C-alpha cells in the first residue's frame, strides 16, 4: 500500500506551526507585536485537533482495515512511542524549566501520569488515545458503518464539554474526561476530531462542500461565542473552544490533499515538499527535539544578539519575522540531526 502523503503534509504544516507557536510563547512580545497573540491563539486552537484528525485517518488506514490480532501489537507500539515521548519531554520540562530535582519522585510522577508537565500535555493525550483506540477497536469499526450512530456519538462527545470538570481530581481520569485542576487535553471532548479522521479514512471526503458548510457553521458558532463573551476556556475545553478550529482543519485537509495530488503528478513538486513530508512523517521527533532545545535555551537565557547590519541578527528582537526566521533555523537544525541517523540496509 502506498503511503498517504496528504497525512504527512497536513501534520508537517501543523508541526511547523506548533514550533513557531512555542518560539513565540518563549521569546515573543505580544505587547509590542499584537499579531503574535492572534497567531498563538489560532495555532493553539488548531494544533491538537488537527493532529487528532490526521491520526484518526492514519489509524484507519494502518490498523482498522486489519483484524484485531494483527493490528493490536502495532497500535500498542504507537501508543508506547507517544508515551515515551511524553516521559522524555515531561521530565525535561520539570528539570529544566520547573527547576525540580532529578529524583525518583519527579520521574515517577511523570511516568505514572500523576504529573503532566507544560508543553507535554498533547503527548500524554496521544498515548491515552492510542490505548482508547485499541480498547474500542471493534466498537469504532462498527460505528464507522453507521452514519446516524457516528453523528450521535460525535454530538455526545461535544456535549461532554458541559460535565462538572471541577469534580474530577485525579490526573489520569482527567486525561479521559477533563479537569479544572490540571492542564490536560481530555480524550472524550476531543474525540470527535479523531472520529472524523477515522470517518475520512473509511469513506473519504466525497462531498467536501457539505463538510465545509458544516465546519463553517461550527466555527462560526465559536467565533460568535468569542465575540460576545471573550476567549472560550481551553483547559478544560469549553464547547466554544472545541468548535473553533473545525473550518481551519477542513481547509487544511483540502490543501494537504491538493498537495498530495500535485506531488503525484510532478516529481519536482514531491522533492520540493519533501521537508514538509519529513516534518509530518517524523512529527514526534521534531516536537520533542524542539521542546528540548527551547527548554534548554530558555533556562540558559540564550537569545541571538542584535546587530544592526548583520542579517539575520538585524531582525527586530522578539518580532514576528524574528520568530519565523529562528523557527526555520531550529527546524533545519533538527532535520540535520535526523539526517545523521543511518538506517541499516535491507538485502
Amino acid at each position: 500500500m502506498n503511503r498517504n502523503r496528504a497525512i504527512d503534509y497536513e501534520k508537517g504544516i501543523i508541526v511547523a506551526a506548533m514550533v513557531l507557536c512555542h518560539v513565540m510563547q518563549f521569546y515573543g512580545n505580544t505587547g509590542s507585536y499584537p499579531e503574535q497573540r492572534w497567531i498563538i491563539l489560532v495555532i493553539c486552537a488548531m494544533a491538537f485537533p488537527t493532529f487528532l484528525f490526521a491520526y484518526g485517518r492514519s489509524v484507519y488506514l494502518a490498523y482498522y482495515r486489519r483484524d484485531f490480532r494483527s493490528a493490536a501489537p502495532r497500535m500498542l507500539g504507537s501508543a508506547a512511542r507517544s508515551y515515551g515521548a511524553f516521559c522524555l519531554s515531561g521530565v525535561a520540562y520539570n528539570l529544566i524549566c520547573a527547576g525540580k530535582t532529578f529524583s525518583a519522585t519527579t520521574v515517577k510522577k511523570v511516568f505514572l501520569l500523576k504529573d503532566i508537565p507544560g508543553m507535554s500535555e498533547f503527548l500524554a493525550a496521544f498515548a491515552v488515545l492510542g490505548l482508547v483506540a485499541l480498547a474500542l477497536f471493534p466498537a469504532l469499526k462498527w460505528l464507522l458503518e453507521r452514519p446516524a450512530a457516528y453523528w450521535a456519538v460525535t454530538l455526545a462527545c461535544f456535549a461532554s464539554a458541559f460535565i462538572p470538570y471541577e469534580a474530577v481530581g485525579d490526573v489520569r481520569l482527567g486525561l479521559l474526561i477533563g479537569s479544572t485542576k490540571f492542564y490536560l487535553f481530555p480524550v472524550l471532548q476531543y474525540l470527535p476530531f479523531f472520529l472524523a479522521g477515522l470517518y475520512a479514512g473509511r469513506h473519504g471526503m466525497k462531498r467536501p462542500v457539505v463538510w465545509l458548510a458544516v465546519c463553517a457553521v461550527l466555527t462560526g458558532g465559536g467565533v460568535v461565542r468569542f465575540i460576545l463573551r471573550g476567549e472560550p476556556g481551553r483547559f478544560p475545553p469549553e464547547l466554544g473552544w472545541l468548535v473553533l478550529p473545525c473550518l481551519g482543519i477542513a481547509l487544511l485537509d483540502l490543501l494537504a490533499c491538493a498537495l498530495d495530488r500535485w506531488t503525484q503528478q510532478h516529481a519536482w513538486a514531491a522533492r520540493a515538499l519533501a521537508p514538509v513530508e519529513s516534518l509530518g512523517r517524523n512529527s514526534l521527533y521534531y516536537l520533542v527535539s524542539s521542546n528540548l532545545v527551547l527548554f534548554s535555551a530558555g533556562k540558559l537565557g540564550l537569545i541571538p544578539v542584535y546587530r544592526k547590519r548583520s542579517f539575520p541578527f538585524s531582525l527586530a528582537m522578539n518580532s514576528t519575522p524574528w520568530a519565523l526566521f529562528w523557527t526555520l533555523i531550529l527546524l533545519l537544525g533538527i532535520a540535520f540531526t535526523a539526517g545523521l541517523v543511518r538506517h541499516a540496509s535491507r538485502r
Side-chain angles (χ1 to χ4, degrees):
M1 182 185 70
N2 293 329
R3 186 178 180 88
N4 188 326
R5 290 183 175 177
I7 298 174
D8 291 329
Y9 293 140
E10 191 165 1
K11 288 166 60 181
I13 292 170
I14 209 67
V15 165
M18 280 187 69
V19 177
L20 173 63
C21 178
H22 291 165
V23 169
M24 286 185 172
Q25 287 174 326
F26 266 86
Y27 295 110
N29 188 331
T30 56
S32 299
Y33 306 99
E35 73 278 3
Q36 291 182 5
R37 174 177 179 267
W38 297 105
I39 294 172
I40 291 172
L41 176 65
V42 170
I43 295 173
C44 286
M46 282 195 60
F48 185 67
T50 302
F51 266 115
L52 285 185
F53 178 81
Y55 181 58
R57 179 177 281 179
S58 63
V59 162
Y60 179 80
L61 296 176
Y63 309 129
Y64 273 39
R65 295 194 294 184
R66 302 168 178 262
D67 61 273
F68 179 80
R69 180 173 294 182
S70 62
R74 300 180 65 191
M75 294 183 72
L76 279 174
S78 176
R81 285 192 295 274
S82 295
Y83 171 72
F86 160 73
C87 291
L88 178 59
S89 179
V91 171
Y93 182 91
N94 279 345
L95 299 181
I96 299 172
C97 298
K100 295 184 179 180
T101 57
F102 192 15
S103 65
T105 300
T106 299
V107 174
K108 187 188 300 183
K109 284 186 176 181
V110 174
F111 274 60
L112 296 179
L113 298 177
K114 291 183 177 180
D115 181 15
I116 310 296
M119 294 179 67
S120 307
E121 307 94 343
F122 63 96
L123 295 170
F126 265 100
V128 174
L129 179 63
L131 296 178
V132 170
L134 177 60
L136 299 181
F137 188 95
L140 293 181
K141 289 185 72 171
W142 178 89
L143 189 69
L144 293 175
E145 305 304 324
R146 293 161 177 80
Y150 164 82
W151 284 109
V153 170
T154 296
L155 293 175
C157 290
F158 275 137
S160 68
F162 295 100
I163 68 173
Y165 290 122
E166 63 278 359
V168 181
D170 183 78
V171 180
R172 285 158 293 194
L173 181 59
L175 281 167
L176 290 173
I177 64 174
S179 173
T180 57
K181 297 177 175 63
F182 320 98
Y183 289 138
L184 303 168
F185 289 105
V187 169
L188 181 60
Q189 287 77 7
Y190 282 101
L191 194 62
F193 300 102
F194 176 70
L195 294 178
L198 287 176
Y199 193 92
R202 171 64 181 89
H203 300 285
M205 307 294 274
K206 296 178 181 178
R207 293 184 290 178
V209 174
V210 175
W211 280 98
L212 284 172
V214 172
C215 290
V217 170
L218 291 172
T219 296
V223 171
V224 170
R225 159 65 173 80
F226 189 104
I227 294 172
L228 296 179
R229 299 178 55 191
E231 183 178 331
R234 181 187 180 197
F235 295 112
E238 296 180 0
L239 180 60
W241 178 263
L242 291 171
V243 299
L244 269 179
C246 292
L247 181 59
I249 295 172
L251 292 173
L252 181 58
D253 186 64
L254 290 176
L255 172 62
C257 291
L259 292 176
D260 184 35
R261 291 191 297 269
W262 190 37
T263 55
Q264 291 179 23
Q265 297 169 0
H266 306 285
W268 64 267
R271 290 192 295 270
L273 289 172
V276 180
E277 182 185 354
S278 177
L279 275 173
R281 189 185 293 250
N282 305 294
S283 56
L284 274 181
Y285 178 74
Y286 279 92
L287 290 172
V288 173
S289 297
S290 63
N291 275 359
L292 296 178
V293 171
L294 290 172
F295 294 166
S296 302
K299 179 66 174 180
L300 295 172
L302 297 179
I303 192 168
V305 177
Y306 177 76
R307 291 289 184 270
K308 188 174 182 179
R309 293 182 176 82
S310 301
F311 182 83
F313 297 91
S314 58
L315 292 171
M317 299 289 289
N318 311 111
S319 66
T320 301
W322 181 94
L324 286 166
F325 181 85
W326 291 109
T327 297
L328 176 61
I329 295 300
L330 175 57
L331 291 174
L332 289 174
I334 296 171
F336 175 76
T337 63
L340 296 176
V341 178
R342 293 180 181 271
H343 299 282
S345 60
R346 296 180 179 178
R347 297 183 179 179

